[in-house]
Amino acid sequence: MEIKVLGELSLSCGDQQSPVTSKRASTVLTLLAMTPRVPVPFGQIVDELWADQTMTNPRNALQAIVSRLRKLLESVTGRKGDEIVRTGSNGYVLDAPAETVDAHRFLALAEAGADLVQRNPAEAIAKLEQALDLWRGPALMDARDGMRCQIHSVDLEERRITAFEDLTVAKLAVDAERVSMSELRQLAAEHSERERLSELLMLALYRDGRQTEALEVFHGARRRLASDLALEPGPALHHAYEAILNQDVVLGRPRRTLLSSGRPH
């Protein structure tokens, strides 16, 4: 069985694939899939489904949703639904390995790739591309009404950008021509708070012989930071600007960058 949450929610087992058409069943499955084999308390699921709404008997309503979800899981997998979504003493649990869920496979691959960026950038590229290829759309797009799923969604989207940054660092170390300049430029514009994207774009442009454009990226990032966050660029972005302005020799070395593979500034 495979549960896909990085885009439209779907279930698959072998050649059989099925969307989850019920909004509330989607929310329950997604919430359980974020912590497989860890019970989610009834109260948390009820709150995720109905929040401030007044319910006469929310536990009965939840049981009915879980019953429909189990029937769907059984139709897709051939296993008994109550063996996949089990009832515990205080909640429900998805009894499936973490790798059953594409979000957890993404996180494992992204972490493995990040660890390889400096030691083996070519292998890092393979891992990070596998991780990013799992995405088919916005994270948890069918279950974003509840607070907990919203938090999981934001965390996954942030990790997606970090994986793209790590991938770009690895590509710059191996072959700058492999960098997706248009995607990098778009992300840097959309996420002005993540200065690492602007640093990478500046370096990629400089490596491509476009020094003037690289310097303009700094000025554009500076304007956006001032406008959106009332901030000045941090030391790392200033350092990248000075190095490009002075054509620092380190910029031309194919297996070195101005950037570490650490997390965003």
Side-chain angles (χ1 to χ4, degrees):
M1 179 180 70
E2 183 179 12
I3 301 171
K4 297 179 180 179
V5 299
L6 299 178
E8 182 182 10
L9 178 63
S10 69
L11 292 166
S12 62
C13 187
D15 294 333
Q16 186 171 358
Q17 187 161 327
S18 175
V20 184
T21 56
S22 164
K23 181 72 172 176
R24 286 175 177 153
S26 294
T27 298
V28 173
L29 180 58
T30 299
L31 192 60
L32 297 179
M34 290 298 94
T35 55
R37 290 183 170 162
V38 176
V40 180
F42 297 123
Q44 288 187 14
I45 304 174
V46 167
D47 184 59
E48 192 75 5
L49 289 168
W50 294 292
D52 298 329
Q53 299 177 39
T54 301
M55 297 287 295
T56 303
N57 196 330
R59 285 286 292 273
N60 280 355
L62 175 57
Q63 287 172 2
I65 293 168
V66 170
S67 178
R68 290 196 296 272
L69 177 58
R70 284 169 169 165
K71 288 178 182 177
L72 174 62
L73 289 164
E74 187 167 337
S75 71
V76 173
T77 66
R79 290 177 57 196
K80 290 184 178 180
D82 58 4
E83 293 179 354
I84 302 173
V85 175
R86 293 190 293 101
T87 304
S89 59
N90 191 41
Y92 291 109
V93 58
L94 178 68
D95 191 0
E99 57 267 24
T100 298
V101 184
D102 60 355
H104 295 291
R105 293 203 308 279
F106 161 73
L107 291 171
L109 285 165
E111 190 63 32
D115 289 342
L116 288 166
V117 167
Q118 298 300 322
R119 295 185 288 108
N120 189 340
E123 182 63 23
I125 290 170
K127 295 285 187 186
L128 292 163
E129 286 183 335
Q130 287 180 51
L132 292 168
D133 283 347
L134 292 171
W135 287 73
R136 300 164 293 109
L140 281 56
M141 62 181 290
D142 293 324
R144 286 182 161 186
D145 292 341
M147 179 186 67
R148 290 170 181 82
C149 284
Q150 286 178 15
I151 292 170
H152 286 305
S153 173
V154 169
D155 288 346
L156 284 166
E157 293 286 356
E158 287 288 312
R159 191 65 189 86
R160 181 186 191 180
I161 297 173
T162 300
F164 178 80
E165 291 170 342
D166 292 337
L167 176 60
T168 304
V169 172
K171 285 182 175 180
L172 284 168
V174 172
D175 180 3
E177 291 185 2
R178 296 176 64 176
V179 173
S180 174
M181 203 78 75
S182 59
E183 187 175 5
L184 182 53
R185 190 186 295 277
Q186 180 179 345
L187 286 173
E190 290 175 354
H191 300 277
S192 58
E193 77 284 0
R194 297 181 72 103
E195 295 184 26
R196 191 179 185 219
L197 286 167
S198 294
E199 294 174 45
L200 287 166
L201 178 57
M202 290 167 65
L203 182 55
L205 287 167
Y206 182 83
R207 291 274 183 87
D208 198 40
R210 297 150 71 179
Q211 181 181 9
T212 301
E213 287 183 60
L215 296 172
E216 180 51 40
V217 168
F218 172 83
H219 295 300
R222 188 174 195 174
R223 288 191 295 268
R224 287 193 299 272
L225 284 167
S227 173
D228 298 345
L229 303 170
L231 293 175
E232 276 288 308
L237 198 56
H238 272 288
H239 176 64
Y241 175 76
E242 293 294 333
I244 290 171
L245 188 65
N246 296 320
Q247 299 184 353
D248 194 313
V249 66
V250 72
L251 298 172
R253 294 177 184 170
R255 301 196 68 81
R256 292 183 61 184
T257 74
L258 297 175
L259 307 160
S260 70
S261 61
R263 296 299 176 252
H265 303 296

